[in-house]
Amino acid sequence: MKINVKKDVLSRQNREGARNRERFESTRTFTVNLMSSPGAGKTTLLEQTITALQKEFRIGVIEGDLATDRDAQRLRKLGVKTVQINTVGGCHLNAELIARELPVFDLENTNILFIENIGNLVCPSGYDLGQHRKVALLSTPEGNDKIPKYPVMFRRTDLTVVNKADLLPYVDFDVNQAKEDLRQINPEAGFLNVSAKTGAGMDDWIRWLKKEAEQCLNR
Ligand SMILES: Nc1nc2c(ncn2[C@@H]2O[C@H](COP(=O)(O)OP(=O)(O)O)[C@@H](O)[C@H]2O)c(=O)[nH]1
Ligand SMILES: [Mg+2]
């Protein structure tokens, strides 16, 4: 007899994801799953985002990494509740890992929870953490071909953010081509170009977050 283990594991993860989502809905906590290659700028974007939103919203962060708590240390400096998950080699977070950390947060008093996933464009795309929105970050030095080469990631996200706009004069990255590539595989998805370093485009990103949070929580 052939047993489809992969399907079973994924359906269990989907159940756990749905359970997390119910929890976030009941506490009115808008949750974002942020994914990218290593070094695209997830933690830097979060630092800038938290600085911009901190006065208005109570924010929590779950950091996922293979090893170390360096990213969590960076965010704790801003005074936000941050939990680090080390997957010890695991290439993605899953809903059970997230659920295990939720008691640490005072979710009733957390308006936005950011989850920084493990850095790669493959494994994280298949796992529902219970987030309201999935955001993929791509940086200009990574090259123009990443959206068509990793379609599963970009097809399943609500927004693609191209980061490191400040490096555009020095790298071969065609923003319009990237936008068109995304439109081909995911016409519903949003597309933004920012620099977490200089702050360019950050207003659009903050506006997107606020709008989506309102849409998700005021249904
Ligand atoms: N030039 C430039 N560098 C950036 C930008 N955002 C992040 N970086 C740099 O890219 C490197 C990786 O950033 P990090 O936020 O740790 O990426 P993560 O691995 O995706 O969390 C760091 O050296 C950052 O300073 C940006 O907008 N422009
Ligand atoms: Mg990081």
Side-chain angles (χ1 to χ4, degrees), residues 75-87:
L75 296 173
R76 280 181 196 134
K77 282 191 190 142
L78 302 174
V80 283
K81 178 81 192 166
T82 307
V83 165
Q84 179 82 51
I85 298 175
N86 281 151
T87 57

Side-chain angles (χ1 to χ4, degrees), residues 81-99:
K81 178 81 192 166
T82 307
V83 165
Q84 179 82 51
I85 298 175
N86 281 151
T87 57
V88 202
C91 61
H92 60 85
L93 295 174
N94 66 41
E96 278 176 294
L97 288 170
I98 299 297

Side-chain angles (χ1 to χ4, degrees), residues 13-196:
Q13 282 304 326
N14 287 342
R15 274 199 310 277
E16 293 291 333
R19 199 171 298 163
N20 286 352
R21 189 169 292 106
E22 271 171 33
R23 184 100 189 269
F24 297 139
E25 303 253 310
S26 74
T27 58
R28 296 176 49 77
T29 305
F30 176 60
T31 304
V32 177
N33 178 3
L34 187 57
M35 297 169 283
S36 81
S37 317
K42 297 180 293 303
T43 313
T44 311
L45 183 72
L46 284 180
E47 286 170 326
Q48 300 309 323
T49 305
I50 288 161
T51 305
L53 291 176
Q54 213 165 20
K55 281 206 186 95
E56 214 176 320
F57 299 93
R58 275 165 294 192
I59 299 171
V61 183
I62 297 179
E63 277 292 334
D65 273 301
L66 301 177
T68 83
D69 68 344
R70 288 180 186 203
D71 283 0
Q73 283 179 35
R74 283 169 63 181
L75 296 173
R76 280 181 196 134
K77 282 191 190 142
L78 302 174
V80 283
K81 178 81 192 166
T82 307
V83 165
Q84 179 82 51
I85 298 175
N86 281 151
T87 57
V88 202
C91 61
H92 60 85
L93 295 174
N94 66 41
E96 278 176 294
L97 288 170
I98 299 297
R100 221 176 282 161
E101 301 302 334
L102 293 183
V104 172
F105 292 93
D106 176 10
L107 282 185
E108 309 280 342
N109 289 306
T110 304
N111 311 121
I112 307 179
L113 179 68
F114 290 107
I115 302 171
E116 177 176 338
N117 220 312
I118 310 293
N120 77 76
L121 288 175
V122 184
C123 318
S125 64
Y127 289 83
D128 179 14
L129 307 181
Q131 74 285 312
H132 291 99
R133 291 291 182 263
K134 283 182 174 184
V135 175
L137 195 62
L138 180 64
S139 64
T140 56
E142 287 172 75
N144 241 133
D145 56 354
K146 296 303 170 292
I147 294 173
K149 280 182 77 176
Y150 296 90
V152 179
M153 168 62 73
F154 294 96
R155 195 180 292 134
R156 290 181 178 168
T157 47
D158 301 291
L159 175 74
T160 289
V161 179
V162 174
N163 187 33
K164 309 197 186 181
D166 56 295
L167 297 182
L168 281 170
Y170 315 105
V171 295
D172 287 329
F173 190 96
D174 182 339
V175 177
N176 287 331
Q177 182 62 51
K179 195 173 178 178
E180 176 55 24
D181 287 341
L182 182 69
R183 199 187 63 78
Q184 299 263 341
I185 61 167
N186 188 353
E188 306 292 312
F191 181 92
L192 295 175
N193 186 202
V194 309
S195 168

